[in-house]
Amino acid sequence: MTMHATIDRVTDRIRERSLNSRAAYLKKIARAAEGGPRRAHLSCGNQAHAYAAMPDKQDMAETRKPNIGIVTAFNDMLSAHQPYERYPDLIRSAAHAAGATAQVAGGVPAMCDGVTQGRAGMELSLFSRDVIALASGVALSHDVFDAAMYLGVCDKIVPGLIIAAGTFGHIPAVFVPAGPMPSGLPNDEKSKVRQQFATGEIGREALMAAEMASYHAPGTCTFYGTANTNQMLMEFMGLHLPGSSFVNPNTPLRDALTVAAVQRAAAITRLGNDYLPAGEVLDERAFVNGIVGLMATGGSTNLIIHLPAMARAAGVLLDLEDFHDLSESVPLMARVYPNGLADVNHFHAAGGLGYMIAKLLDAGLLHEDVRTIAGGGLGLYAQEPQLRGGTVHWMQGAQDTLNDKILRPVTDPFAPTGGLKQLAGNLGRGVIKVSAVAPERHIIEAPARVFADQEEVKAAFKRGEFTGDTIVVVRFQGPQANGMPELHSLTPTLAVLQDRGLRVALVTDGRMSGASGKVPAAIHLSPEAADGGPLARVQDGDIIRLDAVAGTLECLAADFDARTPATHDPDASSEGMGRELFRAFRAHVGRATEGAAVVV
């Protein structure tokens, strides 16, 4: 297999950029691994505290069985995480059968962006990723675990857990999915109902009925947003078992895959002959593979923020140019809502990730020579799991797509590129996802309407103020200003304007997430307005040109550079719903282009 020139070039560029930081990281985790299993160095009293509640505590103290730490994001408010309630008992039982032990090391918070959309709580969402990393650090700080199993699915949870896995890179890490809920009301029908509600055609009762029919069971939401993009990423990066991402919860195959994950966790500790520290999995090739998967599937734009933070925890430095260049060379192979009508269950049935990985490997668009928890290279991930006699066996995956309206080969993709563009100009640097945007809308030039939050936009819409082509500017939505909430609740409003024949676009220093779709959205503008970024100088009526073809974003006002920027009122997001607890985060957070992180 000959590697695609762009994949090689971008990988080499990341490797060179990360030379010093990666070398320092590898030395750090090597020092941490010195001396063998960590708990052997604890005093008798320390160990007694750690094992006191375990039924086999004497066995743990006297043998060299691997001890697996479980870091869980279980709560039963999130449908995606509710299935994890059963996992600790299942893992402990499987560990015992594998000659190991397991303990719940700690829990991490897991908030639902679907609940907090458009609410004050959403301003904590991005920062919850860093809190999850911190909480995981506390869980693993007891130094008694030979491997860690991370139970998490959704938006900020997996990135936070990866930051922790990278930080504790001397400990083997196995990520364990929970799977998507069965298909409910089709996503396009749900979207139609939301737009009808936005225009007043239907009432709240009809809207509620549609939403309840969409989100109806344990498991991940079935559209291809950040949660399911996370699951794809873990498979492309070799941290899930092959083919495990999209198996529905509470099924025999799902449980058998969890048992198999425990067996791998027990096998790759320093006590055996197949030691695989997480830091060796999380190298520049793994992150390039993850970005290729992001582009090939049309995944969530949130990962453009998360991946640099995740990589930094392992000494790997990513830049927007890496995402842009890989997108230009990776074809869009999947159409999953909001980039199509199918949901992730349909995608999985059509051949899913195994088919995609096989075809991308054949085309030289993925690194096969990576370390994975499956015990070999990425070629193992072209297989799919089957249940035989209660045990998982991996078989060759689909060789051909089973539905070319959902999944296509590299040689006949839905689009020749991944649809992600870097934008640069006098409004700063940002990105736009165009995989679901009609080609005739890739260039929008129109007068600006400037707003300080999304509620102002919706109020102007209700007053009938959008009567011509408009670029909606929503600023002071970056991490320093208010934690960078998703602005997904603007999607129905902007979609209605577009359906009325207007040429509209969104420009913001905030986020739109993997649920963004057909309306052009220039997002993650950096430096953000609250950091003195140029978005703070835009005024109503300025002509803005968003050109996703050329990759430019410009305010065409002649006096633009000479203007005094508008100022942000920090009190607007300082209190309520716990926001006062995150003042230090807002004061110290990095730029969106670098991962919008506090802890890395």
Side-chain angles (χ1 to χ4, degrees):
M1 177 189 66
T2 302
M3 289 299 297
H4 190 286
T6 300
I7 306 299
D8 264 343
R9 176 171 55 83
V10 172
T11 305
D12 287 344
R13 183 172 68 203
I14 295 170
R15 187 180 293 119
E16 183 176 351
R17 185 192 301 135
S18 310
L19 196 61
N20 292 334
S21 56
R22 179 69 178 170
Y25 171 79
L26 291 174
K27 287 181 181 178
K28 180 189 79 168
I29 66 171
R31 287 195 302 271
E34 289 175 358
R38 306 295 296 173
R39 68 182 187 281
H41 303 287
L42 271 63
S43 71
C44 293
N46 293 149
Q47 291 191 56
H49 276 289
Y51 310 149
M54 297 290 287
D56 47 358
K57 52 182 171 288
Q58 193 65 35
D59 195 30
M60 291 179 68
E62 296 177 355
T63 69
R64 286 171 57 84
K65 287 183 176 181
N67 188 33
I68 300 168
I70 305 165
V71 179
T72 178
F74 162 72
N75 67 53
D76 59 9
M77 188 202 72
L78 275 71
S79 63
H81 292 79
Q82 187 273 346
Y84 285 135
E85 185 170 18
R86 298 175 49 242
Y87 277 43
D89 284 341
L90 182 61
I91 290 171
R92 282 189 283 261
S93 176
H96 180 77
T101 55
Q103 296 174 288
V104 174
V108 303
M111 66 181 290
C112 181
D113 290 359
V115 176
T116 58
Q117 285 287 349
R119 309 287 298 173
M122 173 55 78
E123 296 181 13
L124 309 187
S125 175
L126 181 57
F127 290 145
S128 75
R129 180 194 64 191
D130 291 43
V131 173
I132 289 160
L134 292 168
S136 301
V138 172
L140 296 175
S141 67
H142 298 96
D143 217 12
V144 296
F145 303 110
D146 302 295
M149 297 186 72
Y150 295 93
L151 314 185
V153 174
C154 286
D155 300 62
K156 272 34 101 221
I157 294 92
V158 167
L161 294 174
I162 286 285
I163 291 172
T167 303
F168 286 79
H170 62 290
I171 300 177
V174 175
F175 280 67
V176 188
M181 68 177 67
S183 301
L185 182 73
N187 284 298
D188 60 324
E189 292 185 28
K190 175 189 68 178
S191 179
K192 181 180 178 180
V193 170
R194 286 177 173 176
Q195 290 193 37
Q196 288 174 328
F197 179 75
T199 58
E201 297 175 52
I202 62 170
R204 186 167 295 277
E205 184 175 339
L207 175 66
M208 189 65 183
E211 298 288 358
M212 292 293 285
S214 299
Y215 308 114
H216 63 96
T220 315
C221 306
T222 59
F223 67 89
Y224 196 52
T226 310
N228 286 317
T229 302
N230 285 339
Q231 302 310 290
M232 172 281 299
L233 195 73
M234 294 300 92
E235 203 150 326
F236 269 75
M237 293 180 66
L239 289 161
H240 277 175
L241 288 178
S244 63
S245 296
F246 299 131
V247 176
N248 299 125
N250 303 316
T251 60
L253 179 56
R254 176 82 278 156
D255 286 353
L257 283 164
T258 301
V259 170
V262 178
Q263 294 167 348
R264 286 305 300 161
I268 60 177
T269 74
R270 197 172 179 85
L271 290 168
N273 298 318
D274 196 18
Y275 177 48
L276 181 60
E280 292 188 12
V281 177
L282 294 169
D283 68 5
E284 66 281 349
R285 295 167 300 170
F287 284 103
V288 167
N289 284 349
I291 297 172
V292 169
L294 179 67
M295 302 309 165
T297 59
S300 168
T301 54
N302 275 332
L303 271 299
I304 304 164
I305 291 178
H306 295 319
L307 275 162
M310 294 156 63
R312 193 176 291 269
V316 177
L317 305 180
L318 301 179
D319 188 83
L320 286 185
E321 66 174 348
D322 303 324
F323 292 87
H324 176 88
D325 289 356
L326 291 171
S327 179
E328 289 293 291
S329 297
V330 176
L332 180 66
M333 298 171 64
R335 286 284 191 201
V336 189
Y337 187 85
N339 297 330
L341 299 181
D343 67 21
V344 294
N345 292 309
H346 305 138
F347 166 77
H348 185 63
L353 298 178
Y355 171 83
M356 294 189 74
I357 288 172
K359 299 307 177 187
L360 288 164
L361 282 170
D362 288 345
L365 289 166
L366 287 171
H367 292 283
E368 200 283 330
D369 58 335
V370 291
R371 303 197 72 183
T372 73
I373 66 158
L378 198 64
L380 295 174
Y381 287 74
Q383 301 180 102
E384 63 181 21
Q386 294 182 5
L387 196 59
R388 295 185 179 180
T391 303
V392 177
H393 295 265
W394 275 269
M395 315 297 291
Q396 184 179 63
Q399 297 298 293
D400 299 296
T401 176
L402 302 180
N403 188 330
D404 65 6
K405 294 181 174 61
I406 301 172
L407 194 56
R408 289 186 183 173
V410 171
T411 52
D412 182 28
F414 291 102
T417 72
L420 186 86
K421 298 278 190 176
Q422 178 182 212
L423 297 172
N426 66 358
L427 288 176
R429 296 176 76 201
V431 294
I432 183 170
K433 177 181 173 183
V434 295
S435 51
V437 176
E440 62 271 18
R441 298 185 181 277
H442 288 188
I443 300 175
I444 303 286
E445 185 174 311
R449 279 290 308 275
V450 183
F451 300 91
D453 63 58
Q454 57 188 321
E455 293 306 315
E456 290 182 2
V457 180
K458 289 184 277 189
F461 172 78
K462 290 178 181 178
R463 293 192 298 266
E465 294 179 7
F466 296 108
T467 58
D469 296 348
T470 308
I471 289 187
V472 175
V473 175
V474 187
R475 64 191 180 194
F476 300 119
Q477 301 299 305
Q480 288 187 28
N482 62 355
M484 206 177 187
E486 287 180 0
L487 306 179
H488 177 46
S489 67
L490 289 179
T491 299
T493 299
L494 297 175
V496 167
L497 295 176
Q498 184 168 273
D499 290 346
R500 289 175 179 173
L502 302 182
R503 294 180 63 76
V504 295
L506 175 70
V507 173
T508 182
D509 46 11
R511 297 185 291 129
M512 277 295 282
S513 89
S516 58
K518 64 183 182 179
V519 178
I523 57 179
H524 309 173
L525 264 291
S526 182
E528 63 177 284
D531 191 27
L535 207 59
R537 297 200 298 270
V538 178
Q539 298 175 0
D540 282 343
D542 285 349
I543 301 300
I544 291 178
R545 181 177 174 85
L546 191 169
D547 187 339
V549 178
T552 58
L553 181 64
E554 300 277 348
C555 179
L556 304 183
D559 64 338
F560 183 69
D561 291 338
R563 291 176 181 170
T564 300
T567 57
H568 171 58
D569 176 11
D571 292 337
S573 296
S574 63
E575 293 183 353
M577 288 299 140
R579 289 179 290 182
E580 48 270 84
L581 299 174
F582 286 80
R583 288 192 182 99
F585 281 61
R586 293 190 293 272
H588 297 286
V589 67
R591 290 182 172 179
T593 49
E594 298 170 356
V598 177
V599 298
V600 290

